[in-house]
């Protein structure tokens, strides 16, 4: 019996756990950023970023803040303002610990 393997590829990462996990990590590392900034920094298509944002908001891991009204340099933003993404303060908290014979380390 012959076995046929079909491989599919995509030009962009698919909306999945990977895109959502990368977005969540970025939001937590930066403390918050606009959706447009996150999309550009993660090099994701807008549709994939939008699906990842929706998934994370639904899970209560991030929240959408008011739309950004000014560019970083203080100038006006062209087009529709991008909403701010930030960790949801009411969301879950993770505590990680590392113990060894001489010290203990905790991170929240």
């Amino acid at each position: 019996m012959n076995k046929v393997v079909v491989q599919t590829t995509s030009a962009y990462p698919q909306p999945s756990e990977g895109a959502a996990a990368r977005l969540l990590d970025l939001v937590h590392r930066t403390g918050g950023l606009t959706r447009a900034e996150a999309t550009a920094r993660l090099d994701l298509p807008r549709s994939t970023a939008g699906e990842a944002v929706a998934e994370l908001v639904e899970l209560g891991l991030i929240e959408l803040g008011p739309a950004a009204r000014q560019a970083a340099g203080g100038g006006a933003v062209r087009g529709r303002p991008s909403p701010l993404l930030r960790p949801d303060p009411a969301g879950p908290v993770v505590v990680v610990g590392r113990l060894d014979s001489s010290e203990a380390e905790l991170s929240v």
Side-chain angles (χ1 to χ4, degrees), residues 4-107:
V4 176
V5 177
V6 178
Q7 294 182 341
T8 60
T9 60
S10 173
Y12 298 107
Q14 296 300 303
S16 67
E17 188 177 306
R22 290 173 54 212
L23 177 62
L24 182 61
D25 181 59
L26 179 63
V27 169
H28 278 274
R29 287 184 187 278
T30 61
L33 69 168
T34 67
R35 180 178 147 175
E37 290 170 324
T39 300
R41 287 178 67 173
L42 295 174
D43 195 28
L44 293 172
R46 285 177 46 193
S47 61
T48 301
E51 290 181 25
V53 167
E55 179 182 347
L56 294 173
V57 167
E58 184 178 327
L59 291 170
L61 299 175
I62 65 172
E63 68 177 1
L64 295 175
R69 297 286 177 203
Q70 288 189 330
V77 175
R78 298 175 109 179
R80 186 172 61 203
S82 182
L84 294 173
L85 309 176
R86 56 185 174 218
D88 189 333
V93 175
V94 175
V95 178
V96 178
R98 183 184 67 79
L99 302 172
D100 71 29
S101 62
S102 64
E103 65 183 13
E105 183 179 353
L106 291 175
S107 295

